[in-house]
C-alpha cells in the first residue's frame, strides 16, 4: 500500500511512526513545505522566558527520524493540489521550483493549523509578530532583545504564557484581551480573577474588554482599541487563536463551519481513502458529545497514531477528548479539563458548580499550599462535566484523574467516594477530589455541614 502524508507536525510524525513500526512494508511518502517537523510550540514560552536555553530542543523528531523508519521524506515540498477523485497530488519542490505529480492509495491529512490573523489595521508592521512556528519564535526572541516594552494581544493560553515569560525577563508587559476575562475557554470568572491578580503582582498590565482596531507606527507602536483607548509598546505579539489549514481539501471532504475536517470514529474523512488528524480536523469533545475544533498537541499525537492504525481497517476507535490542559504561571499550576460552568450553560446544560478552597495536605506538615478547585457537573444526571485546579502544589495529574471521570461518564457520587490514596505528604485522609465532589453532593442534596 502507498500512503502519502501531507504535512508533518505532531499528527503526521505520529502517523508515520505508527505505520512503519507495525507495517514496515508500507510505502510512506511525506511532503512537508517547511524545513522542520515535530516542533513543540507549547515550549516557546519556556524558551522566551530563558527556562529552556535552546529553541532547537523543542524538536522531538527530525526528517532522519522518519527516514530511519523507512519513510521517504520530502522537506520544502509544497502540495499545491489534491485530486481525491483520481488519488493524485500535485507537488512543488520549493528549492528547485519543479512541479510534479504523485499518487496514493491512502492519504493522511496532517497539515495542522495557522495563526489566525485578526482584521487589525497595521498588522503588516515589522514590529507586529505572530507566535506558533519555529521561525516565528526565533523572530520574537531576537526582536524582544531590543525592545523593553511588549504588548500581547489575546489572553488565551499562549498570550498568558508569553505575558509570564516576559514579566520574568524584566520586560514591561501589557496583556490586551477582547473578552471580559482571560483564559475564557479554560476557566470561569473567579479563577480568571485569581490569575489576573498573579499577573498584576508581577507588574503585567491587564486590559479586559478591549478589542484592538489598529496598530499605529511610530517611535513606539500605538495599539488603539474599539473603545477608544490607546496603549503604547515597542513590540506587539498577536495571539488570537488558530484556524485549520485545510484549503487543499475544500469541497472534497466534509468540513465544519470553521474549515476543520470532519472525521468519524476511525479518523476517516467523508472520503474513505483520506484520513485526518491533529489541528486540521475536529475532535470529539466528550463533555458534550459534539465534534469541535480544539487544536491541542496532545490530541494531535493520539489522532495521528490512530490514523496510522486505521488506514489498515477500522481497528481502534477514537475515544475523544476532554481537552485537558495545564500551564505553570509564576510558580502556580493551573490545570483544567472538560467544560467550564459558563461553557456548560452556553451548551444548554442544566449545570452547576462548587468551589473548594483549602490546603492540599494537613497543617501539621512542615509546609502546605492552598488549593482552589472548581468542579462543574450536570444537575440532572449528576455527571462530572469539568474541573479547574489552581495551586502552588502540582495538581496537573489531578486534572488527568477528573478527565478519566468525564471520559467514563462518572458522577459526582462516584468521584466523592472513589478509592484514592492517603499519605500526609500528598493529601488529607479524603483526597481533595473526593472532598470537592462531596461538596457538590451536599449542594444538590441541600445538606449544610457545620
Amino acid at each position: 500500500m502507498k500512503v502519502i502524508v501531507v504535512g508533518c507536525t505532531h499528527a503526521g510524525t505520529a502517523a508515520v511512526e505508527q505505520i512503519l513500526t507495525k507495517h514496515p512494508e508500507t510505502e510512506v511518502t511525506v511532503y512537508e513545505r517547511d524545513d522542520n517537523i515535530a516542533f513543540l510550540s507549547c515550549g516557546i514560552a519556556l524558551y522566551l522566558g530563558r527556562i529552556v536555553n535552546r529553541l532547537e530542543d523543542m524538536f522531538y523528531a527530525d526528517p532522519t527520524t522518519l527516514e530511519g523508519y523507512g519513510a521517504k521524506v520530502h522537506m520544502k515540498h509544497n502540495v499545491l493540489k489534491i485530486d481525491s477523485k483520481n488519488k493524485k497530488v500535485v507537488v512543488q519542490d520549493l528549492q528547485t521550483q519543479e512541479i510534479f505529480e504523485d499518487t496514493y492509495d491512502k492519504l493522511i491529512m496532517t497539515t495542522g493549523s495557522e495563526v489566525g490573523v485578526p482584521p487589525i489595521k497595521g498588522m503588516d508592521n515589522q514590529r507586529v509578530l505572530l507566535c506558533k512556528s519555529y521561525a516565528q519564535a526565533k523572530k520574537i526572541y531576537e526582536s524582544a532583545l531590543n525592545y523593553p516594552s511588549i504588548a500581547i494581544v489575546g489572553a488565551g493560553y499562549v498570550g498568558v504564557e508569553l505575558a509570564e515569560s516576559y514579566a520574568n525577563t524584566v520586560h514591561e508587559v501589557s496583556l490586551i484581551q477582547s473578552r471580559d476575562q482571560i483564559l475564557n475557554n479554560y476557566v470561569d470568572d473567579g479563577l480568571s480573577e485569581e490569575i489576573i491578580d498573579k499577573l498584576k503582582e508581577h507588574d503585567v498590565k491587564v486590559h479586559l474588554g478591549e478589542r484592538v482596531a489598529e496598530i499605529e507606527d511610530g517611535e513606539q507602536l500605538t495599539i488603539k482599541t474599539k473603545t477608544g483607548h490607546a496603549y503604547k509598546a515597542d513590540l506587539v505579539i498577536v495571539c488570537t487563536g488558530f484556524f485549520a489549514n485545510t484549503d487543499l481539501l475544500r469541497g472534497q471532504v466534509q468540513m465544519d463551519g470553521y474549515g476543520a475536517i470532519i472525521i468519524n470514529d476511525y479518523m476517516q474523512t467523508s472520503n474513505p481513502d483520506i484520513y485526518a488528524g491533529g489541528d486540521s480536523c475536529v475532535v470529539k469533545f466528550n463533555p458534550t458529545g459534539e465534534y469541535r475544533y480544539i487544536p491541542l498537541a496532545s490530541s494531535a499525537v493520539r489522532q495521528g497514531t490512530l490514523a496510522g492504525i486505521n488506514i489498515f481497517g477500522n481497528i481502534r476507535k477514537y475515544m475523544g477528548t476532554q481537552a485537558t490542559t495545564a500551564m505553570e504561571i509564576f510558580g502556580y499550576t493551573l490545570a483544567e479539563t472538560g467544560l467550564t460552568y459558563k461553557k456548560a450553560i452556553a451548551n444548554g446544560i442544566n449545570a452547576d458548580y462548587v468551589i473548594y478552597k483549602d490546603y492540599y495536605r494537613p497543617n501539621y506538615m512542615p509546609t502546605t499550599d492552598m488549593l482552589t478547585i472548581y468542579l462543574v457537573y450536570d444537575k440532572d444526571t449528576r455527571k462530572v462535566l469539568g474541573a479547574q485546579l489552581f495551586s502552588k502544589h502540582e495538581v496537573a495529574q489531578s486534572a488527568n484523574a477528573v478527565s478519566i471521570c468525564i471520559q467514563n461518564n462518572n458522577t459526582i457520587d462516584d468521584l466523592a467516594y472513589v478509592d484514592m490514596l492517603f499519605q500526609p505528604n500528598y493529601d488529607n485522609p479524603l483526597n481533595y477530589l473526593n472532598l470537592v465532589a462531596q461538596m457538590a453532593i451536599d449542594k444538590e442534596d441541600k445538606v449544610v455541614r457545620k
Side-chain angles (χ1 to χ4, degrees), residues 19 21 30 38 48 60 109 135-136 139 143 158 174 232 251 259 268 271 282 289-290 302 339 394 417 434 448 450:
I19 292 167
T21 298
V30 176
L48 299 178
Y60 60 88
M109 190 75 166
Q136 289 167 345
K139 191 171 182 180
S143 299
V158 176
S174 297
K232 297 282 189 177
Q268 196 172 36
N271 183 315
V282 297
E290 297 174 326
R302 277 186 279 275
L339 284 168
E394 196 283 290
Y417 296 103
N434 295 135
V448 178
K450 294 184 178 180

Side-chain angles (χ1 to χ4, degrees), residues 229-240:
H229 294 110
Y231 305 101
K232 297 282 189 177
D234 298 313
L235 187 71
V236 175
I237 305 173
V238 177
C239 314
T240 51

Side-chain angles (χ1 to χ4, degrees), residues 366-377:
T367 62
T368 187
D369 290 307
M370 185 61 70
L371 167 63
T372 300
I373 307 175
Y374 282 58
L375 183 70
V376 184
Y377 61 93

